[in-house]
Every structure is written in C-alpha cells, then in structure tokens.
Amino acid sequence: MTRTLRPLALIAAAAALLSPCLPAQATENQQLRALLGAPGQEMSMPQLPGLYGQLWLQGYRATRFRDDQGEDQRTDLGNGVSAVRGGSVEATVLVPRLTWVSEAHLGDGRVGVSATLPLISLNVRTRLSGQFPTGTPAPVQAAVQAQLDAAAAARSDRVDGLGDMEIAPFVDFADDESRLVLLAALVLPTGGYDAQRAVNPGTGDFYTLRPGLLWGRAFENGLELGLRATYSFNTRNRDTQVRSGQYLHLDGSALYRLSDQWRLGVGGYALQQFTDDRGPNVAADGNRARVFALGPTVGWTSLDGRWAMEAKYLPEFGARNRPQGQTAWLRLMMRVD
C-alpha cells in the first residue's frame, strides 16, 4: 500500500466501527440474564408455608472489559492499528421478589413459586483508545481517534426501566437442618429493549428456560452452607436474530453462625457459558462468557425469624467476554404472613 493511501485506509477502518457490522450480542454489553450473587443466607434456612417478601439492592461497577483470552477487549483496524475498549459500566438494580410456599405437597416436598422483577438503572460509558505503530503521523492518529471517539459515544448511554421478570415454580424438600429445592424458572422479555439503542434495561425479545436446584445445610457446629445452580436455555432474540448460548450459573455461601441472630462468612458466584452465541455478526469465538466472584458476607436474622438482612461485597475475577468489576448487595427479607 502506498504512503498516500495508508492514512486514508486507517481513517476508513476506524470509521467502520460506526457501521452496524459490529460483533452482535444477544444481550447488551455482554450482560447475561442473571442476578449474580443474589442468593445468600436463606439458602440454608428452611421456609415454612407462607408468603415471603424480599427487597434486594445491587450495585455493580466495572472498568475492565475482557476478551475470550481474559485480556483487554481489542478491535483490529488493520495496518497495525487497534482500538482498546475502556470506560465503565455502572448498574443500580432494585429487586422486589415474592415467594409463596404452599401447604400442597409433591411427594415429601412443599410446592411454591417465586416471582422476581428487577428495576434497573444502567449507565454505560465507552472509551475506544487507538493504539498505533511507531511512525504513524500525528494528524492521522488524531483523525482515527476522532472516529473512535464518535464510535464510543454511539455505544454509550444511560437508561432506567424494568428488567426481565423471572417466574420460578419449585418443590422444597426441607427438614430442621437442610433443604433441597428443585426449580424450573422462566424469564420473560418484560424489560424495555430497542435494538437500535446502545444500552437497554431489558435484554431482548426472547425467553429463557432455567431449570435448577438449591441445596442448603445448617450444621450443629455453626457452619451453614448453601448452593444454588441453574442452567439457562435461550430462544432466539427476535429483535436481533441472535440466540445466546447456554450457561451455568452458580451462587454459593459459607457462613458461620456467631449467634442466633448474626452470621459471618463468604459468598460468591460463578458463570460459565458452554455453547456459542449464534446469529448475524456474532464473533468467531462465539462470545462465550465467564466470570467468578468471591467476597465477605454478613447476615442478621430477627429472634422471631420474620426478618433478615444481609450485606456482601463480591469482587470479580477470571472474566471472559464480559466486563470485570465488583458487585455489592444489600438484601432485606421478611415473612409477610
């Protein structure tokens, strides 16, 4: 390529970032349909028949964006030039949740259902930083960076709105020390979504079937363990014609009962996508997501067992094809009747 054409080619390559041919994602900014880290001390507490209400507040912030190798997300523009993604994702999520445990039995287990509807405030700020080979003229660098700044602005926004509702029928097998819950959740596309917007509170016009189980055990020595595992199957997003891959989501806690009211320990989560996203403009690696988190948890329960609160802070690590940041939860649980 001649010296005259090379600067023009660099500018054109940067301008291509503004086209609709960017790698497609069935969910926005590589956020999957999952309330990562939400379950906690209630996993090891048997629930008697009745109506339970929960009000959870999640704060999430990430300033690193990882590719399929765990490195900074980078787009090759050709001619030795690349664009590295930076910026931030900030989400505040208020999660009202109702759980009803009935008197009806299926075998030895009580039948129940829970419904969750997140209220989401999402602020995405994208920065694309040009990386240039030695000797690239300053005017060319400036022109390319201007195109990258425009592309970054087009991929940034702030929105507030309803998220996607999850309805989860379950059967709860419980005794005084342990519980095993079998569930089959369905996530509905109730959240606001526009394929032309860079940021949305909803994840698209598709459904997610999510079978799973929950196991909890309280030991006489004060140790309490809990694990929730779900596996998600997604239909095709009719807004983008992209079908998200299947993924396993684990939430866990290991708490020590300091007294009848206070618990202290650790909580965490893991998410691993096992099949590729499929559809128009999906990245060659299939956009398989992964992330882990682990951090401290403190819980309180009233003496009559009708109220409980929990706080936890969960730094993420090992992310692939998604942001990597920190999640904080403040959770209130109560028995309504």
Side-chain angles (χ1 to χ4, degrees):
M1 181 177 291
T2 67
R3 292 183 179 180
T4 302
L5 292 177
R6 185 173 183 272
L8 296 177
L10 290 176
I11 297 171
L17 282 175
L18 296 172
S19 75
C21 296
L22 290 169
Q25 299 170 22
T27 55
E28 294 304 309
N29 295 290
Q30 298 174 327
Q31 297 291 323
L32 297 174
R33 271 180 171 168
L35 291 172
L36 299 175
Q41 62 181 337
E42 75 278 3
M43 290 190 291
S44 58
M45 295 179 179
Q47 291 185 321
L48 299 175
L51 182 64
Y52 298 83
Q54 297 101 35
L55 191 62
W56 305 339
L57 180 63
Q58 180 198 40
Y60 179 78
R61 175 176 170 79
T63 56
R64 290 174 289 179
F65 301 86
R66 300 308 194 194
D67 63 14
D68 65 322
Q69 299 299 315
E71 306 295 335
D72 289 336
Q73 289 184 7
R74 183 183 300 268
T75 300
D76 182 14
L77 303 180
N79 297 289
V81 179
S82 61
V84 178
R85 182 181 177 183
S88 64
V89 172
E90 297 180 348
T92 301
V93 185
L94 183 65
V95 187
R97 187 171 189 261
L98 285 174
T99 299
W100 177 59
V101 182
S102 75
E103 297 279 2
H105 281 74
L106 183 62
D108 294 330
R110 290 193 176 97
V111 176
V113 64
S114 66
T116 306
L117 181 61
L119 310 175
I120 299 172
S121 178
L122 184 60
N123 186 9
V124 177
R125 290 289 173 260
T126 300
R127 184 176 67 252
L128 296 171
S129 301
Q131 306 291 309
F132 302 91
T134 302
T136 303
V140 173
Q141 293 190 37
V144 171
Q145 188 59 55
Q147 294 285 355
L148 294 175
D149 291 343
R155 299 170 69 178
S156 303
D157 201 358
R158 179 170 186 167
V159 296
D160 305 292
L162 292 175
D164 297 319
M165 173 180 281
E166 179 186 88
I167 299 176
F170 61 84
V171 182
D172 189 345
F173 302 88
D175 55 34
D176 291 338
E177 295 181 346
S178 64
R179 49 186 314 222
L180 173 66
V181 180
L182 305 179
L183 62 96
L186 179 66
V187 185
L188 309 173
T190 56
Y193 184 84
D194 182 346
Q196 302 305 312
R197 293 192 62 169
V199 182
N200 290 282
T203 55
D205 188 7
F206 66 101
Y207 295 83
T208 300
L209 177 62
R210 180 172 291 161
L213 62 85
L214 180 150
W215 173 85
R217 177 71 186 270
F219 296 88
E220 292 184 1
N221 63 6
L223 178 64
E224 297 184 0
L225 301 177
L227 177 69
R228 185 179 189 267
T230 63
Y231 195 83
S232 294
F233 302 87
N234 302 294
T235 64
R236 189 176 304 277
N237 186 345
R238 287 180 287 187
D239 290 320
T240 63
Q241 301 306 308
V242 173
R243 182 171 183 169
S244 292
Q246 302 167 15
Y247 53 91
L248 175 68
H249 171 201
L250 302 175
D251 289 297
S253 67
L255 305 175
Y256 183 75
R257 194 167 56 251
L258 301 173
S259 67
D260 289 339
Q261 291 183 280
W262 290 97
R263 291 164 175 80
L264 183 65
V266 296
Y269 55 80
L271 185 141
Q272 176 68 63
Q273 183 174 335
F274 286 100
T275 66
D276 293 347
D277 291 354
R278 298 186 181 278
N281 303 314
V282 170
D285 62 19
N287 195 35
R288 295 194 185 194
R290 188 190 84 177
V291 71
F292 307 102
L294 185 68
T297 298
V298 59
W300 172 87
T301 306
S302 65
L303 290 175
D304 62 8
R306 297 186 66 89
W307 293 86
M309 292 187 294
E310 187 176 73
K312 48 186 161 181
Y313 175 72
L314 306 174
E316 293 182 330
F317 59 94
R320 300 288 187 273
N321 278 325
R322 58 166 285 119
Q324 179 174 299
Q326 305 85 36
T327 301
W329 284 99
L330 181 62
R331 306 168 63 245
L332 173 66
M333 292 79 73
M334 69 207 81
R335 175 161 179 159
V336 178
D337 72 348

